[in-house]
Amino acid sequence: QEPLHTAFKKKSKVKKVESTEVAPESKQRKIYVGQDRAVLLRISTSKLLELMNDDDELTTSVQRLVLLCMQEKLTRSCEEEDMRNSSIPVAI
């Protein structure tokens, strides 16, 4: 499998997907998350990378999604650290 950084390189060709394969109903399971009960999507990393090799729009969208998720996680981590630091009593 190729390194992730090379998988994100943009390609000039665009591929239209005619159909998608869906697992049999017995293997499907919906997982709901959050207050609004959004459906969690499970996707094969290898299939996603394969599709990204041929689709610049998909590549850009996935890169943005990863960046936004990383920013959100970093923000939460910093906020948690601030909460921990502000609740520590300081001896005078």
Side-chain angles (χ1 to χ4, degrees):
Q1 187 169 344
E2 65 184 296
L4 193 55
H5 68 278
T6 58
F8 280 116
K9 287 185 180 176
K10 289 191 172 196
K11 303 285 182 177
S12 59
K13 41 186 171 163
V14 176
K15 179 181 172 185
K16 298 249 181 197
V17 177
E18 296 294 323
S19 65
T20 54
E21 292 182 12
V22 178
E25 192 64 37
S26 62
K27 291 185 180 181
Q28 289 185 4
R29 181 175 59 194
K30 287 188 178 180
I31 300 173
Y32 298 93
V33 294
Q35 292 177 331
D36 297 330
R37 297 193 37 86
V39 177
L40 186 66
L41 173 66
R42 182 176 178 172
I43 187 164
S44 162
T45 303
S46 59
K47 181 66 174 176
L48 179 61
L49 291 173
E50 179 185 325
L51 292 170
M52 288 171 60
N53 280 332
D54 297 324
D55 190 331
D56 289 342
E57 275 189 62
L58 178 61
T59 300
T60 300
S61 295
V62 170
Q63 287 174 334
R64 286 181 182 159
L65 179 61
V66 168
L67 179 62
L68 288 172
C69 290
M70 289 171 56
Q71 288 174 332
E72 185 177 307
K73 186 171 184 171
L74 181 60
T75 299
R76 276 196 318 268
S77 178
C78 289
E79 288 171 351
E80 289 171 3
E81 184 68 26
D82 288 345
M83 292 290 286
R84 280 193 296 268
N85 289 338
S86 67
S87 63
I88 298 173
V90 178
I92 298 179

